[in-house]
Amino acid sequence: MKVFVGSDHAGFDLKEAIKNYLTEKKLEFIDLGTDSASKSVDYPDYALEVAKETVKDNNSIGILVCGTGIGMSIAANKVKGVRAALIYDEYTAEVAKKHNNANVITFGGRTMTPLEVDRYLTKFLNAEFEDGRHQNRIDKIHNIE
Ligand code: RB5
């Protein structure tokens, strides 16, 4: 599994915490920026880079962080093949995988703590897509593209 991570300035600190989590879990990742919390950047630029890389391989996931996770999810979902989900608790973490088969997950650097996000990541990474009727619904989403 390839993991691509990205953030804007508002998500930078949480992205660093997520990288620590991934390292602890021995999950390899590629950081596509940004590289500081102090320089203001535009979140769609990073959403696009992570989304483009993630859709190249079915086993890849993208993790995006902005201030709220909202802008990153809106932007990433513009890329064909992306199913980006804003995760904000353990339940949404689990069903983002089980029902939506999300290949990109987004978090809010200004709305969530690193400890909360560690728990959400654990839920997401341990969940399995349930297929069946959920795949039919995902097919309908991709037919919209
Ligand atoms: C940046 O100030 C902020 O607007 C951005 O990080 C994000 O929250 C947008 O959705």
Side-chain angles (χ1 to χ4, degrees), residues 49-127:
E49 288 309 309
V50 167
K52 277 194 318 194
E53 291 304 319
T54 302
V55 294
K56 285 181 185 170
D57 183 334
N58 279 343
N59 283 326
S60 294
I61 63 163
I63 303 176
L64 285 165
V65 193
C66 59
T68 58
I70 296 171
M72 284 298 198
S73 63
I74 293 171
N77 274 316
K78 297 294 182 189
V79 175
K80 192 171 162 54
V82 164
R83 295 177 302 280
L86 169 58
I87 285 172
Y88 52 87
D89 59 20
E90 287 177 73
Y91 179 71
T92 52
E94 199 168 8
V95 292
K97 182 67 187 178
K98 283 183 169 180
H99 292 191
N100 309 114
N101 202 15
N103 52 6
V104 174
I105 53 176
T106 74
F107 298 108
R110 292 174 177 160
T111 58
M112 301 169 192
T113 68
L115 273 182
E116 286 168 339
V117 172
D118 282 1
R119 292 206 311 271
Y120 306 160
L121 281 168
T122 299
K123 279 281 180 190
F124 180 81
L125 293 169
N126 288 333

Side-chain angles (χ1 to χ4, degrees), residues 129-142:
F129 179 50
E130 287 179 348
D131 216 318
R133 68 185 188 282
H134 299 297
Q135 185 58 55
N136 293 339
R137 293 162 184 168
I138 287 170
D139 291 343
K140 288 191 176 191
I141 293 171
H142 288 300

